[in-house]
Amino acid sequence: AQSVTQLDSQVPVFEEAPVELRCNYSSSVSVYLFWYVQYPNQGLQLLLKYLSGSTLVESINGFEAEFNKSQTSFHLRKPSVHISDTAEYFCAVSPASGGSYIPTFGRGTSLIVHP
Amino acid sequence: GAGVSQTPSNKVTEKGKYVELRCDPISGHTALYWYRQSLGQGPEFLIYFQGTGAADDSGLPNDRFFAVRPEGSVSTLKIQRTERGDSAVYLCASSASGTGTDTQYFGPGTRLTVL
């Protein structure tokens, strides 16, 4: 079984400031890791994912996340946020083997970008 | 092409009534997932279909919940004898093949309110 902890329920930040959204997970097997974003009044969409290989993964809109196995973390970062990044962000983990790839989601972090 | 669609977008019902929620996945996607998202929480897995069969229904909370996918495309989530605690947003997602590396594409959800 897996679990995901998103330590911050809300992260307020000013536009153009850097941001880090924290995610820690627990699992007895190797994992795949995901960040999903939910913009206001829209469905969840995949932001980025770690499957294997390089521990640093990037999205097309400037976010990045680093898989840290020793700290069981997958924190999401962006060096300079925009108003349009205001959204709910969900971290998720799924087993990388065993045939059942059902993801477990965290509670979400609301990123609020102020002008 | 068209994404995942869900109908209705909102459903208000009375305690004890029966409801059906529909999901139209992306054409050609063999894997289909149902999740439930309560206020302030991340999506919680309910059931996963591979083709027409339920490959994993371990997330269904009790026998009042049932889902079908008779032709391997559209799926219906059925809830009998609804309770106030069933109020949530019900999300559907589909992926091409259901492997762990696949991206899940989410629909906009159906908001169920049980009065």
Side-chain angles (χ1 to χ4, degrees):
Chain A
Q2 300 80 232
S3 66
V4 176
T5 302
Q6 291 185 247
L7 297 168
D8 305 298
S9 58
Q10 272 194 10
V11 173
V13 64
F14 287 107
E15 194 173 20
E16 297 183 7
V19 71
E20 178 180 81
L21 306 184
R22 295 179 292 171
C23 173
N24 287 85
Y25 70 92
S26 156
S27 178
S28 56
V29 299
S30 58
V31 296
Y32 297 139
L33 293 156
F34 308 85
W35 276 99
Y36 284 84
V37 60
Q38 186 171 29
Y39 297 105
N41 301 314
Q42 294 187 29
L44 272 80
Q45 50 188 282
L46 182 68
L47 186 61
L48 47 76
K49 60 185 176 182
Y50 169 78
L51 303 178
S52 65
S54 172
T55 57
L56 184 66
V57 291
E58 300 177 349
S59 72
I60 59 173
N61 59 349
F63 282 93
E64 64 179 30
E66 185 160 20
F67 170 49
N68 187 318
K69 188 175 181 179
S70 63
Q71 297 188 5
T72 59
S73 68
F74 192 55
H75 301 331
L76 183 69
R77 302 183 181 95
K78 189 170 185 179
S80 176
V81 295
H82 302 290
I83 296 286
S84 59
D85 293 324
T86 294
E88 192 81 17
Y89 291 81
F90 294 92
C91 182
V93 60
S94 74
S97 60
S100 175
Y101 303 105
I102 305 302
T104 299
F105 287 82
R107 296 180 62 174
T109 297
S110 179
L111 175 62
I112 304 167
V113 182
H114 298 288
Chain B
V4 178
S5 62
Q6 294 186 243
T7 53
S9 56
N10 280 283
K11 177 71 177 178
V12 181
T13 191
E14 295 180 342
K15 180 175 178 295
K17 299 290 188 183
Y18 168 83
V19 297
E20 290 189 351
L21 312 179
R22 176 186 168 108
C23 172
D24 280 87
I26 292 173
S27 178
H29 280 192
T30 62
L32 185 146
Y33 308 79
W34 282 100
Y35 297 87
R36 178 169 67 176
Q37 187 175 16
S38 301
L39 195 61
Q41 303 293 322
E44 177 188 22
F45 168 72
L46 295 176
I47 186 170
Y48 155 54
F49 286 90
Q50 183 58 253
T52 60
D56 186 343
D57 65 357
S58 62
L60 294 177
N62 52 58
D63 62 6
R64 295 187 297 106
F65 288 74
F66 188 71
V68 296
R69 196 185 184 199
E71 297 178 357
S73 55
V74 171
S75 176
T76 305
L77 178 66
K78 308 180 182 194
I79 311 175
Q80 299 178 320
R81 304 184 304 281
T82 52
E83 300 177 357
R84 293 193 179 89
D86 299 334
S87 295
V89 176
Y90 289 81
L91 302 172
C92 176
S94 71
S95 70
S97 61
T99 63
T101 56
D102 261 0
T103 294
Q104 291 192 23
Y105 296 88
F106 282 80
T110 293
R111 182 176 298 277
L112 176 66
T113 303
V114 182
L115 301 177

